[in-house]
Amino acid sequence: MSYGRYRDPKKQAAGRPTPPPKVPSGSQPAQPRSPQQPAPATTDPPTPPRRSHDSDEYTLQTPQEYALREEPVAAPIPISVPPVRQPVITQDPLPDPPSLPFWTGVFSFPFYLQSLGVWMLIAFGLTVGALGLVLCIWCLDQGLTLAFRCFVIPLFLIIAFTCSYASAACMAIIETTADGYDHVDNWPTGDWREWVWTLAYPGTAIVLSLLLGWATNAILPLHPPIPAVAVVFVSFPIFLLSALEAGSPIIPVSMAVLDSLVVAWWGWAMFYIETGAILVIWWTLIFTTQLESLWLTAFVAAPVLAAGLMIYARLLGRLAWYIDHRMSRARDDEDD
């Protein structure tokens, strides 16, 4: 605020002092500013310094004024990395050995809750294959050659799928039972082209058994060929167990399996007795139903054959388990 409007210019010209301005009542008189008192601070922005004429026009006189302001560096956020958890491999404890290894959990195995679905799938495939085979035979009897050719290829695919799945399931039953477990969890899954490779083990054993049976029949040409059938029946599990013990289908004979015929003879005897009884029951069922109708035979014998295959694999796994325990006990006795 300026005081110029309270001064009389005439009195200033005559050299007389000018009376102080009248201050309204109730207000403080304004004190004159002394020369030593600094001027009040203003809020006007500071003017930038001028460049001298003799300096370079492209040189900044105050570089710090135009310098980029550095942003404060934020503190790094600590990231807690969780520790890598190593997978824990667990294994089910081995159950107690069965008191009757060739009876307990053998004939009821296809009807376990874990095995029922597998038995139903194998029985369905075998039933469809058997019915298709009867249909093809009927077409040939009726002279329907074109219909026979239409049914052959689908029938072959159904039989190949069923046999490959049954082979993989039986291999799983043998291996799991031989390890001492009662339930089977590693049923075949995935593509059927992966199952078909398991046919090499039973396929090789069947071919070798049939060759021995044919040689026996050539030496003893009897009718019916009971000695040839007996040779096939006895040699097939020996070839199959030998291939599984060696881990290759091209090694059908194993010395450990041959030694077990002497060391674990009781187990082999029980195996042959029970599997022979199953085979007799199945052949009796076929012979009885074929007198009525081939369609009835295919419809009844196929599910029984599926259960018989699973029981056969179960008995072969129990035989392998029994052989392992007997051989271990024999080695312990020799060490003592």
Side-chain angles (χ1 to χ4, degrees), residues 182-233:
D182 185 44
H183 298 279
V184 179
D185 297 329
N186 56 339
W187 294 114
T189 57
D191 193 359
W192 72 274
R193 289 172 293 185
E194 299 177 359
W195 311 334
V196 74
W197 295 106
T198 60
L199 284 171
Y201 288 93
T204 304
I206 289 175
V207 170
L208 294 177
S209 301
L210 291 177
L211 289 177
L212 284 180
W214 175 80
T216 304
N217 189 40
I219 298 174
L220 299 173
L222 300 179
H223 186 77
I226 297 178
V229 173
V231 169
V232 173
F233 175 74

Side-chain angles (χ1 to χ4, degrees), residues 109-130:
F109 175 75
F111 310 105
Y112 280 11
L113 185 60
Q114 296 84 359
S115 310
L116 187 60
V118 178
W119 170 74
M120 294 176 64
L121 184 58
I122 298 175
F124 177 77
L126 292 178
T127 303
V128 174

Side-chain angles (χ1 to χ4, degrees), residues 80-86:
S80 58
V81 180
V84 179
R85 301 182 61 182
Q86 298 294 335

Side-chain angles (χ1 to χ4, degrees), residues 1 3 27 58 62 92 138 144 159 172 196 213 273 319:
M1 181 180 294
Y3 295 98
S27 60
Y58 298 102
T62 55
D92 296 335
W138 180 83
L144 302 176
I159 293 177
V196 74
I273 291 173
L319 176 61

